[in-house]
Amino acid sequence: MRQAGQVVAKVFTTLKPLCVPGVSTLALANKADEVIRKEGGIPTFLDYQGYPGVICVSVNDTLVHGIPSDKIILHDGDIVSLDVGVTLNGYCADACRTYVVGIAKENAKRLVKVTEECFFTGVKLIQPGIHLGDVSHAIQAYAESHGYSVPRDYTGHGIGTHLHEDPSIPNYGLSGTGPILKEGMCLAIEPMIAEGRYATRILSDGWTAKMKDGKLSSHYENTLVVTKTGYEILTMSPTEQKEIK
Ligand code: CO
């Protein structure tokens, strides 16, 4: 999973500079496919429950599961989430980044930053013996204290030889509830945060999940393993690891 995680990280390193005005979301997905296969991996999402894309590319008010398309073009000021899953030697890793395209508007920058902070605020609590609800609660409290809402229809998840394993990891909840974490558990923690109200709707393609009110949404995710004394994030590049310190 560590190796799969570093292929995911490599996809972000490659795609981040390509998120510029004029690029289609399909072009980004095609590049991701190239990187993943060159590293000997398989794009986990492709054909997962019939999902038609290599990765998910979700622009602005699309919360998750945006299907890559040559008709969807990035514009100056957009925010774009790249959700990437890689299976390598039978093990999965899953992560998401949201990037601003061109010149960012202040509100977009703030939403993206707070979404990342939600992740780290929750994840910093992780060690054997805590309740999963402690993490969920910390994410929710951080998002709501910044005036944002937490969509209820999508959650993080356990991960391993399958993309989605138990437990489900909501981005909202109560401290002291839910399963107790143990060393060796692998989790995909993925705050999805909205500028407006939290209700979502699914387009007729059966996948694309949009905010009902059409306002911006952001997503940040990493796969991690619970260690004896804390956790190890598997899907961050060495550069990203340095930047959080
Ligand atoms: Co996930």
Side-chain angles (χ1 to χ4, degrees):
M1 289 181 68
R2 205 176 263 131
Q3 289 169 9
Q6 286 311 297
V7 179
V8 172
K10 188 164 267 186
V11 172
F12 294 135
T13 305
T14 307
L15 293 192
K16 185 178 182 184
L18 303 181
C19 293
V20 293
V23 165
S24 76
T25 62
L26 182 64
L28 296 172
N30 287 343
K31 192 69 192 171
D33 194 53
E34 204 181 298
V35 174
I36 293 166
R37 297 196 192 271
K38 194 169 160 232
E39 297 294 325
I42 298 164
T44 312
F45 301 167
L46 184 62
D47 295 329
Y48 182 85
Q49 292 179 1
Y51 181 72
V54 166
I55 60 174
C56 305
V57 188
S58 304
V59 182
N60 293 337
D61 61 329
T62 298
L63 177 64
V64 288
H65 302 168
I67 300 171
S69 163
D70 59 2
K71 308 257 171 352
I72 304 176
I73 307 292
L74 300 185
H75 296 103
D76 199 36
D78 283 349
I79 59 175
V80 58
S81 304
L82 308 174
D83 194 345
V84 178
V86 169
T87 306
L88 190 73
N89 301 322
Y91 288 89
C92 302
D94 176 17
C96 181
R97 300 289 179 268
T98 299
Y99 298 128
V100 291
V101 178
I103 299 163
K105 298 190 181 80
E106 276 314 310
N107 66 316
K109 257 199 279 193
R110 180 172 180 270
L111 175 67
V112 169
K113 180 166 165 275
V114 170
T115 305
E116 290 179 17
E117 289 168 355
C118 281
F119 173 89
F120 290 103
T121 301
V123 160
K124 282 201 173 94
L125 304 173
I126 291 181
Q127 59 176 64
I130 72 154
H131 284 86
L132 196 53
D134 302 351
V135 178
S136 300
H137 175 74
I139 292 171
Q140 178 179 19
Y142 194 86
E144 291 179 351
S145 72
H146 287 78
Y148 297 131
S149 72
V150 176
R152 304 297 201 255
D153 303 328
Y154 302 91
T155 66
H157 47 95
I159 180 167
T161 53
H162 297 275
L163 172 62
H164 293 144
E165 300 186 0
D166 284 342
S168 165
I169 309 175
N171 295 308
Y172 59 93
L174 297 175
S175 299
T177 67
I180 292 174
L181 298 190
K182 293 193 178 71
E183 184 182 357
M185 284 181 170
C186 291
L187 309 172
I189 312 265
E190 47 182 317
M192 289 156 261
I193 304 298
E195 212 180 14
R197 299 177 65 87
Y198 65 64
T200 61
R201 67 190 172 98
I202 297 178
L203 297 190
S204 57
D205 61 22
W207 283 100
T208 309
K210 290 209 170 237
M211 301 314 303
K212 258 192 188 161
D213 63 11
K215 295 199 175 167
L216 290 184
S217 57
S218 176
H219 183 191
Y220 183 85
E221 172 181 25
N222 283 299
T223 296
L224 58 83
V225 56
V226 180
T227 61
K228 199 181 286 291
T229 55
Y231 60 92
E232 177 188 340
I233 295 177
L234 305 181
T235 46
M236 288 176 78
S237 69
T239 310
E240 286 177 324
Q241 297 265 10
K242 264 180 239 143
E243 279 168 5
I244 59 161
K245 292 284 134 64

